[in-house]
Amino acid sequence: MENYKKGKNVEEPFDRNKIPIPNLPNNFLWMQVRGGSKIRNLLRHAINEFPEVKHVVWTGFGPSVSKCITCAEIMKREFNNSLHQITRLCYRHIEEYWDPLLPDLDQLIVRRKLPMIHIYLSSENLNTDELGYQAPGQKVSLQKEGNVNSKSKSSNKKQKKRKNKSSDKNQRKLNNENQRTKESSSSSTNNI
């Protein structure tokens, strides 16, 4: 790649009509999260506008996906987990152009697909049969019920072992101290 320099990036144009969530209202707030966006600025604007519009879509792609999820989760918490949510994942296509430094070489075009997320939050009821729907206050668990109990049992056993070990150490210390005092008292009586 030493014979090429980075040229322009061409991103697939994206507008409100291409959001892959059906039945979006016309007057929703669209928050596009970028890598350089400040979370506090995004949230301040979204939280101030939300009571009027009652619908917000958080969108992030590439490295800003995690920041987008963070913003949506903080917003849900600010509204006491009373918001309905629909989440969609897709890809955004980007073309990178690399210009040759030598006249014999051709221009390179690198096509990439970046992951993209859309999180639709609404204070009004949404279609519960929609793919990616999450009800208000509902927490999605990634572990089965049985696994959680077995983990807690094993952690309880570990805690008991730690307590037993520490009590054994304490008992040994006491025994050693008692033995030293007996030895010192017996040696002092022998010296008299």
Side-chain angles (χ1 to χ4, degrees), residues 19-170:
I19 296 175
I21 299 173
N23 303 323
L24 279 174
N26 293 334
N27 63 337
F28 66 90
L29 177 64
W30 188 22
M31 300 298 295
Q32 297 181 50
V33 181
R34 302 283 180 155
S37 303
K38 299 267 190 243
I39 291 177
R40 69 174 174 265
N41 295 340
L42 293 168
L43 284 169
R44 184 181 310 125
H45 178 70
I47 289 171
N48 288 340
E49 294 291 320
F50 189 75
E52 296 172 19
V53 293
K54 297 185 184 346
H55 306 277
V56 65
V57 175
W58 292 92
T59 299
F61 69 94
S64 62
V65 167
S66 60
K67 190 180 283 192
C68 178
I69 294 169
T70 300
C71 288
E73 291 299 322
I74 291 172
M75 185 167 178
K76 283 171 32 180
R77 188 179 66 211
E78 286 294 317
F79 287 92
N80 299 321
N81 291 324
S82 63
L83 302 180
H84 298 264
Q85 175 180 332
I86 293 178
T87 305
R88 289 296 163 98
L89 299 173
C90 59
Y91 289 98
R92 184 163 187 192
H93 299 278
I94 294 180
E95 291 181 347
E96 292 179 350
Y97 289 87
W98 293 83
D99 300 325
L101 297 175
L102 303 174
D104 301 341
L105 300 173
D106 294 333
Q107 184 180 43
L108 293 178
I109 300 173
V110 179
R111 291 177 178 85
R112 295 191 302 152
K113 288 172 34 175
L114 293 177
M116 184 177 225
I117 190 167
H118 302 280
I119 303 172
Y120 173 36
L121 300 176
S122 175
S123 58
E124 299 174 358
N125 290 336
L126 299 175
N127 182 4
T128 57
D129 296 331
E130 192 67 47
L131 189 65
Y133 175 78
Q134 186 176 338
Q138 178 183 3
K139 294 185 179 173
V140 178
S141 174
L142 300 177
Q143 296 177 337
K144 294 180 182 176
E145 294 288 326
N147 291 346
V148 172
N149 292 337
S150 65
K151 271 190 171 181
S152 63
K153 287 179 184 177
S154 66
S155 65
N156 288 340
K157 287 179 183 178
K158 287 179 184 176
Q159 287 176 354
K160 286 179 184 178
K161 283 183 181 179
R162 282 189 207 128
K163 286 181 183 178
N164 289 339
K165 283 183 181 178
S166 64
S167 65
D168 288 344
K169 285 181 182 178
N170 292 338

Side-chain angles (χ1 to χ4, degrees), residues 173-189:
K173 284 181 182 178
L174 285 174
N175 290 341
N176 289 340
E177 287 175 13
N178 288 339
Q179 191 172 8
R180 280 187 211 132
T181 54
K182 283 181 185 178
E183 289 173 359
S184 65
S185 67
S186 66
S187 65
S188 65
T189 55

